[in-house]
Amino acid sequence: MPGEQPQTYETLDERFRTGRCQAGDSRLETLFEGCRWAEGPVYVPAGRYLLWSDIPNDRLLRWDETTGSVGVFRSPAGYPNGNTLDGRGRLITCEQGNRRVTRTEHDGSVTVIAERFRGKRLNSPNDAVVRSDGSVWFSDPEFGIATDYEGHRGESEIGARNVYRVDPGSGEVRVAAEGFQGPNGLVFSPDESKLYVSDSLANHIRVFDVRPDGTLTGGDVFAECRDGNFDNIRFDDEGRLWAAALHGGVHCYDPDGTLLGRVLVPGTVANIRFGGARRNRLFIAADTTLYSLVMSVTGTPALPSVSS
């Protein structure tokens, strides 16, 4: 019908409705258009702004929540992909083109966190997450070295696609988990007892138990994607897992692995992030566009501060 609004939510399980997962905004808000391929949104509470990656254009963009203005935060930026914050509010970026993970200090200088494993260059770091002990974890598929579109075409020196952990004290880079085809999104459970890893090429999400020393066990499949392909993943504060599913929109999973419902998004959803003053604004990077959706669910709290 003329003037009819497109559907935003699709309920697949009654728990999606009873959990009020679909009771927020009735439609997506477009914050910016004009990227080549948008990825890696991260909300910075101290400044009330969002940073995200425009990978093929080799830049990080900045959206100001108070004014709605958009500007370039950094260019060139190493063909950046995933971004996150550490416990001191510093930006952690996966630079696909430079094949490294970096930290932007408060004075604007850039520190390299990881660029080699046992003397060999990383493939193309994709997504990162920081645990409250200060350790940095990142996925390392080969997407950024496959072509010159999102990085620089090259060969894998390591010959594997792993998830790594960077020790907060020594800076040592070690394999945390292996056996992936295309490791992508990472997220810890709210209590940090489990690590969830999406594998875009295997098209499933695996879950690992985290031991006190930071090593992992398990690795069972938590969910398989039958509509789209998994990219990055986030938790809300009631334990539901939200997944960017490329052509499948945004999927919402119960803690038991049941697909409860979807947020329907035009285009291809690469990355999502909860943010805003109440952490109930879902930022969605899809194709050339950055969207937001103010929801009735709330993302997990920001990472606790860690000691120096």
Side-chain angles (χ1 to χ4, degrees), residues 148-163:
D148 290 317
Y149 187 69
E150 293 188 3
H152 304 293
R153 184 184 305 177
E155 298 296 323
S156 172
E157 297 182 12
I158 295 172
R161 298 163 293 277
N162 301 320
V163 171

Side-chain angles (χ1 to χ4, degrees), residues 287-304:
D287 283 332
T288 62
T289 306
L290 177 69
Y291 298 101
S292 85
L293 189 69
V294 178
M295 304 186 71
S296 53
V297 301
T298 302
T300 51
L303 184 74

Side-chain angles (χ1 to χ4, degrees), residues 211-242:
R211 292 190 179 117
D213 64 356
T215 57
L216 303 179
T217 60
D220 292 340
V221 172
F222 169 77
E224 295 181 344
C225 188
R226 295 178 174 83
D227 180 15
N229 290 85
F230 285 132
D231 202 298
N232 91 312
I233 45 182
R234 300 290 170 213
F235 270 103
D236 68 26
D237 64 0
E238 294 190 14
R240 292 174 293 243
L241 184 69
W242 297 75

